[in-house]
Amino acid sequence: MISERKQIIDNTSSITEYLGNWLWNALDLENTTLNASEMLKFLGELCKCERAYVFEIDYSNETISNTYEWCAKGITPQIEMLQNESIQIVDFWLDLFRQNKNVIIPDVEAIKTDAPSTYAVLKPQDVKSLVAVPIYLGNDVVGFLGVDNPEKLDEDETIPVLKKISSLFSFIVKHRNAEKKITFDKYHDPLTLAYNREAFEEDFKKLDGCRQLGIVSCDLSELETTNDERGYQEGNILLCRLNALLGEVFAGYKIYRVTGNRFLVVCPNIDSAYFDKLIKNLEGEINNKHIPLVFGSYWSNENPLVPVEVRAVAESVLYKNKAIYFSKPDPVTGRTRDRRMMSLDNFVDHFNDSRNSMLYRFIENNYFSLDVFFKALELGDSHPYFGDLQKNVWFISDTIKEKWGFENNIVHDLPEEWKQFITHEKDREFYEKDFSEFIKQKRDVYDLIYRVVDKYGEEVWVRCAGYIKWDKEREKPLFYSGNVSILSNAFETCPITNFQKEKAAVRDISSMFFKGDKSSCLCFRLNGFGEINELRGRSIGDNLIKDIATELLASFDDRIKFYRLDGLRFMALIAGDADYTLDECSKKIKKIISNSYAEYNLPIRYPCAVGILGELNTDMSAIEIITDVMSVLDIAKHKPEEDIIYTEKTMSSHREQKQMLLDISKDVANDMNNFRVVMQPIVSAETHRLIGGELLLRWSYMGQNVSPMVFVPILEENNLMSTVGKWVFKQAAKISKRICAYIPEFTLDFNVSYYQIKDETLLPYMKQLLEDYEMDGSRLVLELTETHYHDDPIKLLKFIESCKDMNMMMAIDDFGVGYSSLEMLLKYPANIVKLDRSLMKKMSDSSDSKVFISTIVSACHNFDKMVCVEGVETEKELNIVTEAGCDSVQGYYFYKPMEIPDVYKLFATI
């Protein structure tokens, strides 16, 4: 085929004539499509070049990517290395393209000084000359077509051919974009943009080879109610919020909307610990964002792994969780979640048949709102009642009549009659005032929890909740319909601690605010229970909690009231007339908990974490206060060594960190959007000549650079370092290869954390990437910090040896900061030791420190290790470094961290 083409070229006097003949053969008349690979092959052979290619521009991310490529025999493909490159590389090209001009570079060496970024990219590809022309869609430049090292740079012949073919690529890009849209529409839900059921069914067939699989089955339980009560637009917003939430939590995994309110998250080849972490994150976000989501999850690594069975278990867990969900009241409103509407015919089942006629006569002779009636039934249907508020006549169900001993289903002035069952004086005052305010403030919803006794004198907690119907002017209350829900003992008290639960805390805070009582709040959480339950068993853990609770109750009087909010989180309300301070309470609680842990022989450094909210703000609701308590405990969990004092600044910072976590996860999943690398040059201590550099990771958030001290721990704590680390290594390999076009002996350092070394896929990825880039690794230096590595020295040593097999060098970073500097020096085969900035400061402080540092340098040299000093900022410090015998210097005295295009500009001046 190639020989035939050569013969055609040789026998054709006009390239244009050959182009016409080729197009006739290349065009598929039946499908009217063009083969991009064939076009580039034709172009490459016609121009007798080494490489023909197409780049496309992503203006939103300011990047360019090589999307099509043809290489002559013996020429290394470059397409993998040329993805998501900075648009700055071709800035001057785009200026020419917008003027409908072309790019012709007869000699790449000529642009070394004027266009260093472009040179740095072209030189490692062995590009000596090139021609490129724009690709347009309409009047917009969307990419360019180019050829490297053509045999001749004949503008009269080459440019017209390139332009004709670029116009065909315009057709290809347009046609491909249309196909992408069709494919996208086929496999995506049009509302949420999640993958649809068809995509799920196709993808699910491909999971048979998975070694590990996690599946999350999700149900948006309140969708139907939202659609009915607030309209379909609000329901659509809720669906999109859910999809966004799932995308943020399960970044990098596919989200499917398989039915109206059902979503599936499929996580292939995910390890159990990370899957559990994501599930916990999801639970936290559901609570934080108040999304009515119920889900079931399951992870498996069985051999053989059957995806259908994994999904089936996740679905069964979902159904169980739905049953639990609907059996509990909403934590915000207190309303029952069972939304099953009953018809009026079903409602009469609450009455004896002989009473049905009485019910219908009541409805016929008094004001009755069917809409309010049905709405109230959503709150519960065990003890319903309703009444005409203008006539003050009420109809109660048989269940109310029988439990509280009413003589008739029809009751006059039910609010007054009901008072006889409220035996606690404070509860009765609360009831009277709240009901009065309910009418006076013209509220639509009534919701109150208090104690009553039934006809047998048995005391129970009840929640009375309902809706009211007003006239058009909202002057007269017309109709009320509600339900009395009897709350179980589990609502009131935790059986292990005898502390009341969260709902009781909400009730008590509301009651205090209502009565104008002052109160302060302190909260605490118990630590180490993962290890306690795993090593000692749950029964031991429960006994420990019980002993702590018993001791707390015995050590404080009734002016401090304890609540168990959930498993390990507790709250204490301290009455305003208490004669002890919050600080005294905190110290006493911590001492009791520490002593209890000691009695169980549990050597945990910080057995609890404490948060102090101070005096409660009566402008906030009880729910808002509980939410703040949870947030304070979340902060305290990470700082158990100190009490966390509630301030608006603290809470604002906490909320910002939560949002930052979601956004950084989204950026990592979105091809490392908003991440970039910079480089700080390293110079010879003796000659001050540029010999190397360290690659540093940067992240931009809301238009501002965030300190690595802030965002790196977030990446590490949330298992994002695996993806980020691979991306950084890819940038290091790519940039190293380009810098060596300027300085062949230049070495580039990149950082590897302990969290990355735990990733079993990192080494194979590094090896494959170096092979793809045709690099041997000898110009790369991996930097290891001293922290964490004592946790798994065998794994670390194996990792280092594998990197050495790839010819990479190793540097011990931050030497002198950790607890095992000399151990690291002796134990691991490092080539370079980088002295931390803190040692640099000590060198400047005294002559003894200088001697000490010189001794360290001498010891390193004795072990054949070079020494680089970080943080050199002054001439005095440079002189000390030189006198100590250090080999290289890194610091602001010579160079600050530089953007990569500026690095290339620097090299162009050397």
Side-chain angles (χ1 to χ4, degrees):
M1 181 67 179
I2 295 176
S3 60
E4 290 178 5
R5 288 178 184 269
K6 288 182 177 179
Q7 186 176 359
I8 294 173
I9 293 172
D10 292 339
N11 295 335
T12 304
S13 57
S14 169
I15 292 179
T16 304
E17 179 184 345
Y18 174 68
L19 179 61
N21 292 333
W22 177 85
L23 281 176
W24 183 259
N25 294 321
L27 184 63
D28 185 334
L29 295 177
E30 182 177 349
N31 297 315
T32 63
T33 59
L34 286 167
N35 187 311
S37 298
E38 283 295 317
M39 289 175 66
L40 288 179
K41 185 177 182 181
F42 154 72
L43 179 63
E45 291 175 351
L46 182 65
C47 296
K48 297 181 179 178
C49 65
E50 293 182 355
R51 187 167 170 264
Y53 46 82
V54 170
F55 276 79
E56 293 181 52
I57 304 170
D58 180 354
Y59 287 105
S60 61
N61 290 316
E62 297 186 341
T63 59
I64 59 170
S65 293
N66 188 179
T67 51
Y68 301 101
E69 177 189 56
W70 169 87
C71 295
K73 186 176 181 179
I75 301 301
T76 303
Q78 300 292 321
I79 190 168
E80 290 299 324
M81 186 181 276
L82 298 171
Q83 300 301 310
N84 299 313
E85 295 288 338
S86 171
I87 202 170
Q88 295 179 15
I89 292 172
V90 291
D91 267 352
F92 80 93
W93 296 24
L94 296 181
D95 290 339
L96 292 172
F97 293 155
R98 293 187 186 104
Q99 302 171 47
N100 202 24
K101 295 180 180 179
N102 311 300
V103 172
I104 302 175
I105 303 178
D107 181 7
V108 165
E109 294 298 327
I111 67 170
K112 182 175 182 179
T113 302
D114 295 335
S117 294
T118 308
Y119 177 83
V121 174
L122 297 177
K123 182 66 176 178
Q125 301 177 53
D126 201 26
V127 178
K128 300 177 180 63
S129 62
L130 66 82
V131 181
V133 300
I135 297 173
Y136 295 101
L137 276 183
N139 296 321
D140 298 325
V141 178
V142 297
F144 54 88
L145 168 71
V147 292
D148 291 343
N149 303 334
E151 187 177 77
K152 293 181 180 179
L153 287 175
D154 189 333
E155 290 189 45
D156 294 335
E157 291 266 338
T158 307
I159 294 296
V161 172
L162 284 171
K163 283 196 168 185
K164 284 182 170 62
I165 293 182
S166 76
S167 65
L168 294 175
F169 268 102
S170 297
F171 171 81
I172 287 178
V173 170
K174 184 176 181 181
H175 184 70
R176 188 204 59 211
N177 290 347
E179 285 184 336
K180 278 185 177 180
K181 186 177 186 310
I182 292 171
T183 302
F184 186 90
D185 292 344
K186 179 181 179 182
Y187 293 112
H188 288 79
D189 171 49
L191 173 65
T192 64
L193 302 184
Y195 287 97
N196 59 20
R197 187 178 189 87
E198 186 172 354
F200 168 74
E201 290 175 350
E202 288 196 15
D203 291 345
F204 206 64
K205 298 173 184 175
K206 304 172 185 176
L207 295 175
D208 290 336
C210 283
R211 292 175 287 106
Q212 304 175 104
L213 178 63
I215 291 182
V216 188
S217 182
C218 307
D219 185 287
L220 191 57
S221 303
E222 304 291 333
L223 181 61
E224 185 177 350
T225 302
T226 302
N227 288 337
D228 291 342
E229 293 184 359
R230 302 171 62 189
Y232 283 92
Q233 184 175 2
E234 288 297 321
N236 290 343
I237 292 172
L238 189 58
L239 284 164
C240 292
R241 283 182 62 205
L242 171 59
N243 183 62
L245 172 64
L246 293 175
E248 290 166 356
V249 174
F250 295 95
Y253 297 102
K254 286 187 175 182
I255 316 297
Y256 303 88
R257 185 186 179 193
V258 291
T259 62
N261 65 340
R262 293 289 295 280
F263 289 75
L264 284 171
V265 184
V266 179
C267 307
N269 297 318
I270 185 172
D271 66 69
S272 175
Y274 186 39
F275 185 69
D276 289 344
K277 173 77 172 178
L278 296 182
I279 294 300
K280 289 180 181 177
N281 290 346
L282 177 60
E283 290 171 345
E285 290 306 314
I286 290 171
N287 293 327
N288 291 339
K289 297 191 175 181
H290 305 300
I291 292 182
L293 176 69
V294 183
F295 69 89
S297 63
Y298 187 66
W299 178 91
S300 177
N301 64 347
E302 292 182 5
N303 187 13
L305 192 149
V306 182
V308 174
E309 293 180 1
V310 178
R311 182 189 176 188
V313 177
E315 296 279 354
S316 68
V317 175
L318 168 66
Y319 293 133
K320 290 178 183 177
N321 289 342
K322 281 185 70 175
I324 296 171
Y325 177 88
F326 282 109
S327 69
K328 294 180 178 180
D330 187 290
V332 178
T333 66
R335 294 162 48 182
T336 180
R337 284 169 167 149
D338 192 343
R339 305 299 193 221
R340 292 171 297 179
M341 290 260 187
M342 300 186 309
S343 67
L344 192 58
D345 290 335
N346 289 334
F347 175 74
V348 300
D349 290 340
H350 290 281
F351 309 92
N352 296 327
D353 291 340
S354 60
R355 304 296 182 185
N356 287 351
S357 58
M358 184 187 299
L359 169 63
Y360 286 114
R361 284 200 307 273
F362 181 90
I363 293 173
E364 192 175 298
N365 295 318
N366 297 280
Y367 190 94
F368 182 82
S369 170
L370 192 63
D371 290 341
V372 173
F373 170 75
F374 279 139
K375 194 173 183 181
L377 287 180
E378 298 176 35
L379 299 172
D381 58 14
S382 58
H383 299 84
Y385 64 101
F386 54 86
D388 183 329
L389 294 179
Q390 289 301 301
K391 295 180 180 179
N392 199 11
V393 60
W394 300 76
F395 198 98
I396 61 174
S397 65
D398 280 329
T399 52
I400 293 178
K401 174 176 171 288
E402 292 166 4
K403 187 168 184 61
W404 279 277
F406 286 96
E407 294 181 359
N408 203 307
N409 293 95
I410 297 176
V411 180
H412 292 276
D413 199 0
L414 179 63
E416 185 66 28
E417 291 290 327
W418 190 250
K419 289 181 187 178
Q420 63 180 301
F421 305 109
I422 309 174
T423 58
H424 287 265
E425 185 178 346
K426 289 186 177 180
D427 283 356
R428 190 185 301 118
E429 291 174 1
F430 194 23
Y431 165 81
E432 289 174 343
K433 190 172 181 180
D434 189 74
F435 191 80
S436 174
E437 291 292 324
F438 169 61
I439 299 298
K440 187 183 298 183
Q441 295 175 8
K442 299 180 180 180
R443 302 202 304 254
D444 293 317
V445 181
Y446 178 74
D447 196 351
L448 193 63
I449 298 173
Y450 49 89
R451 289 164 291 186
V452 297
V453 294
D454 61 16
K455 67 181 182 181
Y456 301 108
E458 182 182 347
E459 184 176 275
V460 292
W461 283 95
V462 297
R463 178 186 293 273
C464 291
Y467 295 94
I468 195 168
K469 172 81 171 180
W470 296 84
D471 65 2
K472 291 183 180 179
E473 291 76 24
R474 293 188 68 82
E475 294 295 331
K476 294 180 181 180
L478 303 177
F479 177 77
Y480 175 91
S481 184
N483 182 72
V484 180
S485 300
I486 298 175
L487 304 175
S488 67
N489 291 332
F491 157 81
E492 187 178 358
T493 305
C494 163
I496 296 175
T497 62
N498 283 325
F499 292 169
Q500 291 186 314
K501 293 186 176 182
E502 179 183 338
K503 288 295 182 58
V506 172
R507 177 202 66 216
D508 290 350
I509 293 171
S510 299
S511 178
M512 282 186 290
F513 285 173
F514 181 79
K515 292 182 286 188
D517 294 342
K518 290 186 177 181
S519 182
S520 297
C521 180
L522 175 150
C523 52
F524 59 94
R525 62 169 294 135
L526 302 180
N527 296 330
F529 263 73
E531 294 82 357
I532 293 170
N533 289 333
E534 183 177 349
L535 299 176
R536 302 284 189 89
R538 289 191 175 275
S539 60
I540 297 296
D542 288 345
N543 288 337
L544 172 60
I545 293 174
K546 185 175 183 178
D547 288 352
I548 290 171
T550 301
E551 187 62 27
L552 287 172
L553 290 173
S555 302
F556 291 93
D557 58 33
D558 59 4
R559 287 175 297 179
I560 180 168
K561 195 169 185 179
F562 292 97
Y563 303 85
R564 188 178 187 184
L565 303 179
D566 59 19
L568 299 174
R569 294 188 284 194
F570 299 81
M571 184 181 80
L573 291 180
I574 304 165
D577 60 350
D579 55 4
Y580 31 74
T581 66
L582 286 168
D583 185 56
E584 290 171 342
C585 285
S586 172
K587 290 178 180 177
K588 194 170 182 179
I589 289 170
K590 286 192 283 190
K591 184 176 181 180
I592 290 170
I593 294 172
S594 294
N595 290 341
S596 296
Y597 272 66
E599 289 176 6
Y600 277 74
N601 193 26
L602 297 169
I604 294 176
R605 187 176 184 186
Y606 299 109
C608 71
V610 175
I612 296 177
L613 274 74
E615 186 173 326
L616 296 182
N617 181 359
T618 56
D619 292 332
M620 298 173 66
S621 70
I623 294 295
E624 288 173 325
I625 287 172
I626 295 296
T627 300
D628 280 351
V629 166
M630 296 300 193
S631 297
V632 168
L633 287 173
D634 194 22
I635 300 170
K637 176 183 177 181
H638 299 286
K639 296 182 178 180
E641 68 279 5
E642 61 181 278
D643 288 359
I644 300 300
I645 309 299
Y646 172 92
T647 64
E648 185 55 42
K649 183 178 180 181
T650 301
M651 299 311 298
S652 176
S653 175
H654 179 65
R655 287 190 288 268
E656 287 174 2
Q657 287 181 344
K658 287 287 187 181
Q659 187 60 48
M660 185 179 289
L661 168 59
L662 292 176
D663 289 341
I664 201 170
S665 301
K666 190 175 181 180
D667 282 348
V668 170
N670 190 26
D671 294 326
M672 297 298 293
N673 187 37
N674 292 317
F675 282 92
R676 71 186 194 284
V677 290
V678 297
M679 193 196 81
Q680 185 173 28
I682 298 172
V683 302
S684 165
E686 182 180 356
T687 65
H688 302 170
R689 185 172 59 87
L690 195 61
I691 60 171
E694 179 181 356
L695 210 60
L696 304 168
L697 183 64
R698 295 290 184 264
W699 179 55
S700 177
Y701 179 59
M702 299 179 69
Q704 301 291 325
N705 286 329
V706 179
S707 168
M709 299 289 287
V710 174
F711 74 80
V712 170
I714 295 176
L715 295 173
E716 291 177 340
E717 291 169 10
N718 292 279
N719 293 303
L720 297 172
M721 278 306 299
S722 174
T723 302
V724 175
K726 289 174 182 175
W727 181 82
V728 169
F729 179 74
K730 184 174 184 179
Q731 305 310 306
K734 185 188 299 185
I735 293 169
S736 172
K737 187 167 185 177
R738 292 171 181 174
I739 289 177
C740 287
Y742 286 94
I743 305 176
E745 67 276 13
F746 189 93
T747 58
L748 185 62
D749 298 18
F750 65 97
N751 290 278
V752 175
S753 76
Y754 173 69
Y755 296 91
Q756 291 170 257
I757 291 177
K758 293 195 297 182
D759 177 15
E760 299 291 343
T761 66
L762 179 59
L763 280 171
Y765 174 85
M766 294 168 68
K767 185 177 181 180
Q768 185 61 53
L769 190 77
L770 291 178
E771 290 178 3
D772 292 342
Y773 286 6
E774 295 188 330
M775 296 175 63
D776 67 354
S778 60
R779 300 290 94 197
L780 293 172
V781 180
L782 75 99
E783 289 193 11
L784 300 172
T785 54
E786 293 186 41
T787 55
H788 290 297
Y789 289 113
H790 60 278
D791 294 349
D792 196 343
I794 296 176
K795 183 181 285 289
L796 174 59
L797 192 59
K798 180 181 177 182
F799 181 85
I800 293 171
E801 292 297 341
S802 297
C803 290
K804 283 190 170 292
D805 290 343
M806 291 182 266
N807 296 316
M808 283 187 273
M809 291 183 284
M810 174 195 164
I812 298 176
D813 194 17
D814 297 336
F815 187 84
V817 175
Y819 298 102
S820 54
S821 296
L822 293 177
E823 182 184 355
M824 288 280 288
L825 186 63
L826 296 170
K827 195 169 187 178
Y828 300 112
N831 305 93
I832 303 166
V833 173
K834 300 188 77 172
L835 301 188
D836 185 71
R837 166 72 183 162
S838 61
L839 292 180
M840 181 68 254
K841 285 298 183 185
K842 291 177 182 177
M843 293 171 80
S844 304
D845 291 341
S846 68
S847 57
D848 289 342
S849 296
K850 295 177 187 177
V851 173
F852 175 68
I853 299 300
S854 297
T855 303
I856 292 177
V857 174
S858 177
C860 290
H861 287 164
N862 288 338
F863 285 104
D864 295 324
K865 301 179 192 303
M866 295 180 290
V867 178
C868 174
V869 181
E870 299 176 303
V872 176
E873 297 181 357
T874 66
E875 186 173 356
K876 177 184 176 182
E877 291 174 345
L878 177 63
N879 292 334
I880 294 172
V881 166
T882 305
E883 291 174 11
C886 297
D887 302 287
S888 56
V889 176
Q890 179 180 347
Y892 281 20
Y893 181 77
F894 289 101
Y895 299 103
K896 294 180 179 180
M898 305 170 67
E899 300 293 338
I900 300 304
D902 294 331
V903 171
Y904 296 142
K905 289 178 184 177
L906 172 65
F907 291 149
T909 62
I910 296 175

